[in-house]
Amino acid sequence: MTVVVVEAAGARSRAGLWRWARNPSAVVGGTLVGLVVLTALVSLVWTPYPPLAVDPSHTLARPSWAHLFGTDEYGRDVLSRVMAGSRISLYAGVVSVLVATAVGVPAGLLAAERGGIPAQVVLRLSDILYAFPALLAAITLSAALGASTTTAMLAIGIAFIPVFVRVTRSNALVVLGSDYVLAARAYGRRPLAILRRHVLPNIATTVIAQMSLLFSLAILAEAGLDYLGLGTTPPTASWGNMIETGQTYLSQDPLLSVWPGIAIFVAVLGFTLLGEGIAELRNARLGRSA
Amino acid sequence: MSSLVPVLEARGVSKSYRSRHRSVQALDGVSLAVPAGATLGVVGESGSGKSTLARLLLALDQPTEGTVLYRGAQVSGRRERELVEFRRRVQIVFQDPMSSLDPRMRVYDLLAEPLRALAVPGDQGERVAELLASVELPADAARRYPHQFSGGQRQRIAIARALGPSPEVLVADEPVSALDVSVRAQILNLLASLVRDFNLTLVFISHDMAVVRHLCRSVAVLYRGHLVETGPTHQIYRSPQHEYTRELLAAVPRVRTERVRAH
């Protein structure tokens, strides 16, 4: 039996790969995301120069073979800093989306499964969070905790919670209303087991697509908070604070802000397309029936 | 195990659903006893409360009034953990096999789930193979997904799943009305032979008198939430007492009835 199941799983994942390969959003998005992730990984062990190494004799240098993206106002290598900045962006994206998922998905499941007063409480709290200006929350948090990457991640993560509550609840309600859940109750599955065995697997793709879409927003938001000085602070390289410092030297070296801008563009586009690709593939799967 | 105690019984069961503006009385004071070994057809048009009755009999929903009993013991209003034995003994097949099978589960898991959930003893793999054989599906069906099967085959899977815990009562809620006409007879014949082979007590819910006549020895007629007539199938056919039963019978095409009967 085991052998049989393993074979079938292999065949299915091959079919899955093929469907992926034919979806342009998924392919382009996946490639861009792969590029950003690869850059972040490489930057852990190698960058052309140390991202914090100052060289007073080569400040604001134009792109050259020695410094492909040029140098900034302290003579630091911009390419190295863009590479190092990818780590901050990915890290912030991962943590903020995970925070939002870890709180939003269970809350959405609770609201869907229990209904009644628990659902009302969850949904009203979620509404309040949704209506609360995220920027104000970020300012408050950085006032309380000091500006840092962590502050930015938390602020973004909290702001995203309502999205996951809504997505999870509405999709879970559909699954919970299905005949196969009724059948599961008829053979004695309890609510928690039903959530784990039927609801989660059936809403997983939607939640993952949402995570990818919000990941791109989180990168954008984190860069924005860094730009405003509420998140990652210099000298640590982040795309947002690089744009901000580059702004000061816009007349001398306009490219200084352009490089991190391109990086943000690539990352955001990548995760957005990937999210859309996942959503499209999911819809294609649902459309495909006997 | 006195044969006098019905295996499944509804006593004065009512169910109303309340929405914000109005309340709908789906069932009103229905009393129904299903003796062990019975094949009972519950007929009525859509909206007559048939499916509500099925849910109540399975303790999937609570009656607003009245009680449901299994072998004389009350099951309605009980905690789920007290119902394990009941769940092993009473199983259900739903109308639409497109929606009653989790699309993300392989057939193996679909069939193994009740065995796991109800801690049915014995080798799971063997039992799944046995179940597939009993509904005349090939053994390699186990590793496929529901969407890879036709409607009739899916209903076979749903029936196999219900048979997993070796129930004594099978409630079938319109099990063929979502299927193509061409496969209905196959599924009905399969049900008939399973009832015979496994000594099942069958509660067969349908709007189709002809089908009920083919499968069931007794009939209960539901009309707008009321039980208007019960009795042996042949008697109800010969001399229906209630006006509504006569209408239902008149809706059955004669020629087809005779042919189905001949099976």
Side-chain angles (χ1 to χ4, degrees):
Chain A
M1 203 64 231
T2 322
V3 178
V4 168
V5 169
V6 168
E7 274 174 14
R12 185 172 174 242
S13 69
R14 271 196 300 280
L17 275 181
W18 179 233
R19 275 201 311 280
W20 271 83
R22 281 183 307 177
N23 183 299
S25 303
V27 170
V28 176
T31 308
L32 294 180
V33 166
L35 187 71
V36 175
V37 172
L38 193 68
T39 305
L41 288 177
V42 169
S43 80
L44 285 173
V45 290
W46 179 83
T47 50
Y49 299 85
L52 296 180
V54 174
D55 182 357
S57 57
H58 289 90
T59 59
L60 300 176
R62 291 297 158 99
S64 64
W65 284 114
H67 298 280
L68 281 179
F69 288 4
T71 62
D72 68 4
E73 74 277 17
Y74 297 116
R76 296 175 299 198
D77 182 55
V78 173
L79 174 61
S80 301
R81 290 180 65 74
V82 167
M83 287 176 73
S86 69
R87 296 201 303 256
I88 297 285
S89 283
L90 286 184
Y91 175 53
V94 167
V95 174
S96 56
V97 169
L98 283 185
V99 165
T101 312
V103 180
V105 170
L109 288 177
L110 174 78
E113 211 280 320
R114 287 285 121 174
I117 291 170
Q120 288 308 313
V121 171
V122 167
L123 293 176
R124 291 300 83 80
L125 283 177
S126 159
D127 284 346
I128 291 169
L129 213 50
Y130 192 70
F132 197 80
L135 191 57
L136 188 57
I139 292 170
T140 316
L141 264 180
S142 73
L145 305 173
S148 71
T149 315
T150 313
T151 309
M153 290 183 316
L154 271 181
I156 297 163
I158 292 170
F160 283 172
I161 289 173
V163 181
F164 283 99
V165 173
R166 296 272 159 191
V167 165
T168 303
R169 174 173 172 271
S170 60
N171 283 280
L173 279 177
V174 174
V175 177
L176 286 169
S178 70
D179 280 352
Y180 57 86
V181 164
L182 202 57
R185 288 181 50 215
Y187 54 71
R189 279 289 180 213
R190 311 288 163 77
L192 267 182
I194 286 173
L195 288 180
R196 198 166 67 77
R197 285 163 186 273
H198 296 288
V199 178
L200 275 181
N202 278 288
I203 69 168
T205 338
T206 320
V207 171
I208 289 168
Q210 196 63 51
M211 286 172 81
S212 187
L213 288 173
L214 286 188
F215 201 102
S216 64
L217 276 182
I219 288 174
L220 206 54
E222 200 274 335
L225 292 179
D226 291 357
Y227 175 83
L228 294 173
L230 299 169
T232 314
T233 45
T236 309
S238 89
W239 295 343
N241 68 31
M242 286 173 74
I243 291 182
E244 198 269 326
T245 46
Q247 196 180 16
T248 318
Y249 303 96
L250 214 53
S251 53
Q252 290 134 289
D253 188 355
L255 283 177
L256 215 48
S257 290
V258 169
W259 299 117
I262 291 173
I264 293 171
F265 172 75
V266 168
V268 170
L269 184 67
F271 280 102
T272 306
L273 286 177
L274 186 65
E276 279 173 10
I278 295 171
E280 281 167 16
L281 286 166
R282 174 180 168 275
N283 292 340
R285 263 178 82 90
L286 291 184
R288 170 195 69 159
S289 64
Chain B
M1 291 255 282
S2 163
S3 60
L4 292 175
V5 180
V7 60
L8 206 52
E9 187 183 0
R11 263 189 214 161
V13 161
S14 298
K15 177 76 186 173
S16 54
Y17 292 99
R18 215 158 282 148
S19 68
R20 198 166 294 176
H21 303 293
R22 62 205 187 107
S23 142
V24 179
Q25 188 81 12
L27 281 180
D28 192 359
V30 170
S31 290
L32 188 68
V34 188
T39 49
L40 171 71
V42 177
V43 291
E45 61 199 351
S46 54
S48 62
K50 293 171 300 182
S51 292
T52 305
L53 182 62
R55 283 168 172 239
L56 293 181
L57 287 177
L58 266 290
L60 293 171
D61 216 339
Q62 297 305 325
T64 342
E65 277 170 62
T67 51
V68 175
L69 302 100
Y70 166 73
R71 293 199 172 279
Q74 185 176 334
V75 290
S76 49
R78 284 290 189 88
R79 288 164 188 275
E80 197 56 42
R81 83 170 78 93
E82 299 169 326
L83 291 177
V84 174
E85 186 56 24
F86 170 75
R87 299 253 175 255
R88 282 196 195 119
R89 307 305 282 164
V90 184
Q91 275 296 314
I92 183 163
V93 174
F94 292 100
Q95 175 175 2
D96 185 1
M98 296 294 169
S99 62
S100 70
L101 303 174
D102 187 334
R104 304 255 159 187
M105 281 189 178
R106 285 172 203 282
V107 171
Y108 181 89
D109 287 309
L110 288 168
L111 299 188
E113 269 292 288
L115 310 176
R116 296 174 192 142
L118 294 168
V120 175
D123 185 275
Q124 227 174 61
E126 274 175 28
R127 183 69 183 139
V128 168
E130 236 172 70
L131 290 169
L132 284 172
S134 67
V135 294
E136 294 154 25
L137 282 175
D140 67 357
R143 61 179 197 227
R144 290 192 267 159
Y145 286 87
H147 70 80
Q148 295 170 287
F149 294 90
S150 69
Q153 289 172 318
R154 279 169 158 239
Q155 198 57 296
R156 285 173 192 268
I157 296 166
I159 292 169
R161 174 176 65 186
L163 293 176
S166 309
E168 58 179 326
V169 183
L170 188 64
V171 177
D173 185 4
E174 299 258 19
V176 296
S177 56
L179 303 179
D180 285 347
V181 178
S182 56
V183 297
R184 284 184 186 178
Q186 291 174 25
I187 298 296
L188 290 172
N189 288 333
L190 174 70
L191 274 175
S193 67
L194 290 171
V195 165
R196 203 178 330 110
D197 297 348
F198 297 120
N199 272 323
L200 290 171
T201 302
L202 179 71
V203 178
F204 186 90
I205 292 166
S206 178
H207 62 273
D208 188 340
M209 278 292 227
V211 166
V212 165
R213 192 176 178 190
H214 172 54
L215 269 179
C216 305
R217 284 191 297 274
S218 54
V219 177
V221 181
L222 268 182
Y223 178 62
R224 295 190 176 175
H226 294 270
L227 198 60
V228 295
E229 191 162 4
T230 52
T233 310
H234 60 87
Q235 189 185 315
I236 290 203
Y237 259 77
R238 219 157 287 156
S239 53
Q241 299 301 308
H242 195 272
E243 179 57 31
Y244 177 66
T245 316
R246 279 182 220 124
E247 280 175 34
L248 269 183
L249 280 171
V252 175
R254 269 293 154 198
V255 182
R256 184 163 163 260
T257 317
E258 296 314 314
R259 202 187 298 148
V260 171
R261 184 94 177 106
H263 269 293

